[in-house]
Amino acid sequence: MQVRRINTVDTLTLRRDVLYPDQSLDAVKVEGDDDGLHFGLFEQSTLVGVISLFLERVSARFRKLAISPACQGKGYGSILLAHVEDFCRRERIPSLWCDARDSAFGFYEKRGYVYDSAPFKKGNNTFRKMKIELGQASAQKFSVIPAIDIIDGKCVRLTQGDYAQKKVYNEHPLEVAKEFESIGVTRLHLVDLDGAKKGSVVNWKVLEAIAGHTSLVVDFGGGIKKEDDLRIVYENGAALATIGSIAVKEPELFFSWVKAYGADKIFLGADVKEEKIAVGGWLETTDLTIYDFLESNIKEGVHHIFCTDIAKDGLLQGPSIPLYKKILERFPNIDFVASGGVSNMEDIYALQEAGCNGVIVGKAIYEGKISMEELKQLMK
């Protein structure tokens, strides 16, 4: 996957086919096209996405973001938009805007764009101007994602995945989730440890309660081995399904899920020991490197990814920042979340500085190493 500069003519076919299928190529040109900066997203040698950027005095406008129909739902639009946002930051352009179609409002809202006009019509379509202040985007881009691990319907934590080293923190996970929501948290990482042990989803009622009584964006994992498990997870309110071992052991099955449900509904978990992928509750280390594993999955459109260094998890000894930096150098365009080892706020700031998009935090919160007040301040 590569983003590179292209010329105006290169954009027109995809722009026309996706946005204006009944128009001629000449008809989809816009005023000032030859003065714009045009970027293409290539999958190997095939152009699969385009976007055009027009620089103004104190802002920039992007137009005609178009992704090949065969590649939609794989996060390619986010990759192109992130590239343009980063370009503007490097050029010290303070804000970026577009006239967004109503069908895309949600997409831009998730990236931090806000409405900057009343709705208006162009032909048969409704639009609104949407804008982002790029100085704010870097702060919004990083997410702190509290983890709730569930055994017997209770909120627990394990040390290095060992069920014998279990500590119960709260018997009512919904109360914990509501407390996180009350301080401004928007994401939650929910892990069904009973399901992971059994090999099928067990604690779906906890998911249903949290998704039904909070507005948190929940990713849910543990025991997702069959498509029936996946359906249970989505039907009970998960925004994303967390998948780990299946992606290693049965990649073709996993890729079929990515294709069927869309990459935006999948949160790929990579458990790592000395840069090799581990499975089976961390008891089995494979010969597959984290880099080869990620490369094969990214080629299939996977882009929401978190990585846990199992030597760090639950020990409160600091995260594996050198590992994460290596991953991000190799795969700069993924939505990458760190997991494991966080012991204080300084670790969170260090992960943000390293380029991670977010961090999953569990034990440090429950053991009081990171206070709810500190989290609240970070959410502002």
Side-chain angles (χ1 to χ4, degrees):
M1 198 70 60
Q2 183 183 34
V3 178
R4 61 176 184 259
R5 287 279 296 275
I6 57 177
N7 60 41
T8 306
V9 173
D10 291 335
T11 71
L12 298 181
T13 299
L14 198 53
R15 186 190 285 182
R16 187 269 314 275
D17 291 349
V18 175
L19 302 175
Y20 308 100
D22 298 324
Q23 302 292 325
S24 67
L25 290 182
D26 283 339
V28 301
K29 292 180 180 177
V30 298
E31 184 178 349
D33 242 352
D34 290 337
D35 297 322
L37 303 175
H38 308 283
F39 300 90
L41 178 66
F42 289 83
E43 196 174 55
Q44 297 179 346
S45 60
T46 303
L47 180 65
V48 295
V50 296
I51 191 170
S52 298
L53 182 68
F54 300 87
L55 305 184
E56 302 171 339
R57 183 169 295 178
V58 293
S59 64
R61 178 187 185 185
F62 69 89
R63 303 185 71 177
K64 311 306 179 189
L65 172 59
I67 305 299
S68 171
C71 297
Q72 291 177 9
K74 295 183 176 182
Y76 289 7
S78 294
I79 292 172
L80 266 177
L81 196 52
H83 185 89
V84 167
E85 290 166 356
D86 289 341
F87 175 90
C88 290
R89 289 190 185 97
R90 291 195 299 271
E91 296 299 316
R92 300 187 182 279
I93 297 168
S95 64
L96 182 65
W97 67 278
C98 72
D99 285 338
R101 291 192 186 206
D102 54 2
S103 59
F105 289 169
F107 170 75
Y108 292 117
E109 283 179 336
K110 287 179 181 178
R111 293 198 62 85
Y113 287 74
V114 297
Y115 299 112
D116 200 40
S117 79
F120 59 93
K121 287 280 190 179
K122 289 183 184 178
N124 295 323
N125 297 307
T126 300
F127 293 79
R128 290 183 75 172
K129 182 179 179 181
M130 298 189 73
K131 181 179 180 181
I132 190 169
E133 299 296 332
L134 293 171
Q136 298 173 5
S138 59
Q140 293 172 349
K141 196 174 181 181
F142 188 85
S143 299
V144 176
I145 309 171
I148 296 180
D149 292 356
I150 306 298
I151 291 180
D152 296 330
K154 302 172 184 177
C155 175
V156 307
R157 291 301 289 174
L158 306 182
T159 298
Q160 294 198 288
D162 185 354
Y163 284 75
Q165 299 185 61
K166 175 184 74 175
K167 184 173 182 179
V168 177
Y169 287 97
N170 193 304
E171 295 194 358
H172 305 288
L174 178 57
E175 291 180 0
V176 179
K178 285 184 172 180
E179 189 175 3
F180 286 135
E181 184 180 38
S182 72
I183 62 169
V185 168
T186 59
R187 283 281 307 272
L188 186 68
H189 182 64
L190 193 57
V191 183
D192 181 359
L193 291 175
D194 292 314
K197 198 171 188 178
K198 182 181 178 182
S200 61
V201 172
V202 173
N203 286 293
W204 58 268
K205 287 189 176 181
V206 176
L207 167 62
E208 182 185 42
I210 292 174
H213 293 89
T214 74
S215 60
L216 295 168
V217 176
V218 182
D219 65 79
F220 181 95
I224 301 175
K225 306 295 184 186
K226 305 181 297 296
E227 190 160 358
D228 283 346
D229 298 314
L230 204 57
R231 279 196 290 268
I232 288 169
V233 168
Y234 292 137
E235 286 171 1
N236 285 284
L240 300 99
T242 302
I243 311 291
S245 295
I246 285 293
V248 181
K249 294 182 174 181
E250 299 182 56
E252 294 308 316
L253 174 62
F254 173 64
F255 295 151
S256 74
W257 293 349
V258 174
K259 185 175 181 179
Y261 294 93
D264 283 335
K265 300 283 287 182
I266 301 292
F267 197 25
L268 177 64
D271 295 330
V272 180
K273 182 178 182 180
E274 297 176 353
E275 300 193 354
K276 298 289 182 69
I277 294 293
V279 294
W282 302 351
L283 298 176
E284 177 188 346
T285 302
T286 70
D287 292 327
L288 182 63
T289 71
I290 177 63
Y291 310 106
D292 289 342
F293 177 66
L294 292 182
E295 184 170 15
S296 64
N297 281 277
I298 291 167
K299 283 181 179 178
E300 296 295 328
V302 176
H303 56 97
H304 297 307
I305 296 165
F306 73 100
C307 178
T308 305
D309 184 340
I310 63 178
K312 297 281 189 177
D313 190 69
L315 297 181
L316 302 175
Q317 294 176 355
S320 295
I321 291 175
L323 171 65
Y324 301 146
K325 284 184 174 179
K326 287 176 69 174
I327 291 171
L328 287 164
E329 285 172 6
R330 184 91 169 260
F331 309 105
N333 292 320
I334 59 175
D335 174 30
F336 183 78
V337 174
S339 174
V342 170
S343 61
N344 51 40
M345 290 298 295
E346 287 70 26
D347 288 338
I348 291 178
Y349 296 137
L351 288 166
Q352 189 171 9
E353 182 68 24
C356 297
N357 297 96
V359 58
I360 295 169
V361 187
K363 197 169 190 176
I365 297 173
Y366 300 115
E367 292 289 336
K369 305 295 184 183
I370 296 174
S371 71
M372 295 297 278
E373 182 59 32
E374 286 177 314
L375 275 182
K376 184 177 180 178
Q377 293 304 315
L378 191 63
M379 295 300 119
K380 290 183 177 179

